[in-house]
């Protein structure tokens, strides 16, 4: 639902009011790509290059996707030869500028005259060094985390007992992660693109985002795993578990709102207290029973014969989870969940975006 073409279509709708399907967007990208390829091929042929270099450049273009071809940074006509190297090159990116370039060694002429005696050096006390800026925690821009709270794990599942064995099926799952500073930061999506997917009543996404803090808002796209047998009897347990790590000893309130066609249909509110573990305050909501509405929704979805039918239903189904400080009502995390059916043999998948308002 939020692939490249879908996002472009929603952006067009947001900026111009015109409706475009993802197929129309894909077709237009292909048309632009063919036009750009013709222009690029003409520019390559016009260059004073040998045939081998021309063939190599044209083959490179042939291996690109339509989206890469349309990208201006990829298709700028460039000569395949590097510029001539100077003996004293300019500054290398990321290195000091001309003031510290290497220069030829200039040796002073020999002389028998004594060198002048330097004046005495006076020492003055230096001002105390400025404190080094504290870098943000590595996980703050790379995971679902605000300045005060981080989501460590989230799952919705079904458990059944068979032959004295417990079987667990994960519908959706966000597992623990340990990012490094070399990992990319989260991609961003304009929050206004999804306002219509959630309730506009008091406490809705729009009101919450305007209130802030903006670094607490995220979008998670789930590809839910509906494969396998899903029990409909009383022998199955449907539950949700989540775990958070915080910086303060507080009590949190977790509100989970289910929306259909942008209207709230059910809300569940839970309270959890902090437990100090390893210098951090941990919050765990373990095996919270799934509401009856969600269980029935999963069963009805599973009975649809084709996955494209399931995705059509999920197009208008969303969940908004808001974690707040119970005493001050401050928003600590706000996560908007959207869904499609997974086609991967590896089961449930997900992708996280940061919500912004550019």
């Amino acid at each position: 639902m939020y692939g490249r073409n879908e996002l472009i279509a929603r952006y067009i709708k947001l900026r111009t009011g015109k409706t475009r399907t993802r197929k129309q967007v894909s077709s237009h990208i292909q048309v632009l790509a063919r036009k750009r390829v013709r222009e690029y091929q003409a520019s390559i042929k016009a260059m004073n290059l040998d045939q081998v270099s021309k063939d190599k450049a044209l083959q490179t273009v042939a291996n690109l996707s339509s989206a890469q071809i349309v990208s201006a940074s990829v298709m700028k006509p460039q000569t395949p030869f590097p510029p001539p190297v100077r003996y004293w090159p300019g500054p290398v990116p990321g290195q000091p500028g001309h003031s510290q370039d290497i220069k030829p060694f200039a040796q002073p002429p020999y002389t028998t005259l004594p060198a002048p005696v330097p004046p005495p050096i006076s020492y003055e006390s230096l001002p105390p060094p400025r404190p080094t800026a504290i870098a943000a925690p590595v996980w703050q821009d790379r995971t679902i985390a605000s300045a005060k709270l981080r989501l460590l794990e989230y799952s919705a599942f079904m458990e059944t007992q068979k032959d004295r064995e417990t079987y667990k099926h994960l519908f959706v799952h966000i597992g623990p992660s340990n990012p490094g500073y070399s990992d990319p930061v989260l991609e961003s999506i304009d929050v206004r693109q999804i306002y219509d997917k959630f309730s506009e009543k008091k406490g809705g996404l729009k009101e919450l985002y305007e209130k802030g803090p903006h670094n607490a808002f995220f979008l998670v796209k789930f590809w839910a795993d509906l494969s396998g047998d899903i029990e409909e009897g009383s022998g199955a347990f449907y539950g949700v578990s989540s775990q958070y790590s915080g910086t303060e000893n507080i009590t949190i309130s977790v509100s989970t709102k289910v929306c259909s066609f942008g209207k709230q249909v059910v809300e569940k509110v839970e309270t959890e207290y902090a437990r100090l573990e390893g210098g951090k305050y941990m919050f765990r909501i373990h095996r919270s029973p799934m509401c009856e509405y969600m269980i029935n929704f999963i069963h009805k979805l599973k009975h649809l014969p084709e996955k494209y039918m399931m995705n059509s239903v999920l197009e208008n189904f969303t969940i908004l989870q808001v974690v707040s400080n119970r005493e001050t009502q401050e928003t600590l995390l706000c996560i908007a969940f959207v869904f499609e059916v997974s086609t991967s043999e590896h089961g449930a998948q997900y992708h996280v975006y940061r919500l912004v308002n550019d």
Side-chain angles (χ1 to χ4, degrees):
M1 184 172 67
Y2 286 93
R4 181 200 66 205
N5 295 340
E6 291 91 337
L7 285 174
I8 294 173
R10 290 184 68 82
Y11 182 80
I12 293 172
K13 178 70 173 178
L14 179 70
R15 304 293 284 188
T16 69
K18 297 179 181 179
T19 301
R20 295 290 184 271
T21 67
R22 57 186 176 185
K23 290 185 178 179
Q24 289 174 315
V25 171
S26 176
S27 176
H28 192 62
I29 288 176
Q30 292 173 15
V31 171
L32 288 176
R34 288 194 291 269
K35 179 181 177 182
R36 190 67 62 84
V37 167
R38 289 195 296 269
E39 294 173 352
Y40 186 77
Q41 289 173 339
S43 65
I44 288 295
K45 291 177 181 178
M47 289 183 180
N48 187 21
L49 304 176
D50 60 80
Q51 190 60 39
V52 174
S53 299
K54 289 182 180 180
D55 292 343
K56 184 178 180 180
L58 294 174
Q59 182 60 39
T60 300
V61 176
N63 293 333
L64 298 177
S65 67
S66 296
Q68 290 173 315
I69 291 172
V70 171
S71 171
S73 61
V74 174
M75 292 300 298
K76 287 180 181 176
Q78 297 177 0
T79 174
F81 301 108
V85 178
R86 296 176 295 167
Y87 286 104
W88 303 109
V92 178
Q95 300 297 325
H98 287 286
S99 60
Q100 298 187 30
D101 283 352
I102 301 174
K103 297 294 188 294
F105 178 74
Q107 180 176 346
Y110 290 101
T111 176
T112 57
L113 297 176
V117 179
I121 301 174
S122 61
Y123 295 94
E124 297 181 1
S125 59
L126 297 174
R130 295 181 179 179
T132 305
I134 301 175
V138 62
W139 39 261
Q140 191 163 322
D141 295 320
R142 297 167 177 84
T143 62
I144 302 174
S146 66
K148 295 185 178 180
L149 193 71
R150 178 188 178 192
L151 175 68
L152 299 179
E153 192 165 4
Y154 181 90
S155 62
F157 58 90
M158 177 194 70
E159 282 185 354
T160 56
Q161 293 279 345
K162 290 183 180 180
D163 302 326
R164 298 182 181 180
E165 295 283 344
T166 300
Y167 294 89
K168 186 174 184 178
H169 177 83
L170 292 171
F171 297 116
V172 297
H173 181 228
I174 298 174
S177 62
N178 295 294
Y181 282 107
S182 60
D183 294 325
V185 298
L186 297 178
E187 299 174 65
S188 298
I189 284 183
D190 193 321
V191 67
R192 293 171 295 180
Q193 294 189 35
I194 61 170
Y195 276 159
D196 61 330
K197 296 288 184 181
F198 298 89
S199 173
E200 295 183 357
K201 294 182 179 179
K202 182 176 176 61
L205 177 60
K206 183 176 181 180
E207 179 184 297
L208 287 169
Y209 191 85
E210 290 174 351
K211 182 180 177 182
H214 292 171
N215 67 357
F217 288 77
F218 300 86
L219 171 70
V220 175
K221 169 67 179 290
F222 275 129
W223 285 267
D225 185 5
L226 296 180
S227 63
D229 297 328
I230 296 180
E231 296 284 342
E232 297 189 26
S234 58
F237 173 77
Y238 291 78
V240 179
S241 293
S242 55
Q243 182 174 329
Y244 309 86
S245 171
T247 60
E248 299 176 348
N249 183 13
I250 59 174
T251 302
I252 63 171
S253 174
V254 182
S255 165
T256 305
K257 301 176 182 179
V258 177
C259 299
S260 178
F261 289 92
K263 305 295 182 183
Q264 179 180 319
V265 293
V266 66
E267 179 182 15
K268 183 177 183 179
V269 180
E270 299 169 283
T271 299
E272 185 61 29
Y273 301 91
R275 295 176 177 84
L276 184 60
E277 299 178 12
K280 299 178 181 178
Y281 292 101
M282 305 298 295
F283 305 86
R284 292 186 179 89
I285 299 178
H286 184 58
R287 294 173 58 83
S288 174
M290 194 179 293
C291 69
E292 195 68 25
Y293 178 91
M294 279 300 307
I295 296 174
N296 292 334
F297 181 82
I298 292 172
H299 291 163
K300 292 177 181 178
L301 201 62
K302 179 65 176 177
H303 286 158
L304 293 174
E306 301 290 343
K307 287 188 176 180
Y308 79 87
M309 297 179 182
M310 299 180 189
N311 287 334
S312 180
V313 173
L314 290 173
E315 173 76 23
N316 300 294
F317 175 84
T318 57
I319 294 177
L320 186 68
Q321 184 181 84
V322 182
V323 185
S324 58
N325 184 318
R326 192 182 68 169
E327 301 301 325
T328 65
Q329 305 303 311
E330 176 189 5
T331 299
L332 304 174
L333 276 180
C334 182
I335 310 170
F337 295 112
V338 295
F339 302 86
E340 272 191 24
V341 178
S342 174
T343 57
S344 170
E345 60 182 12
H346 302 295
Q349 307 287 319
Y350 73 96
H351 193 81
V352 181
Y353 303 87
R354 180 177 295 279
L355 290 173
V356 298
N357 188 352
D358 293 332

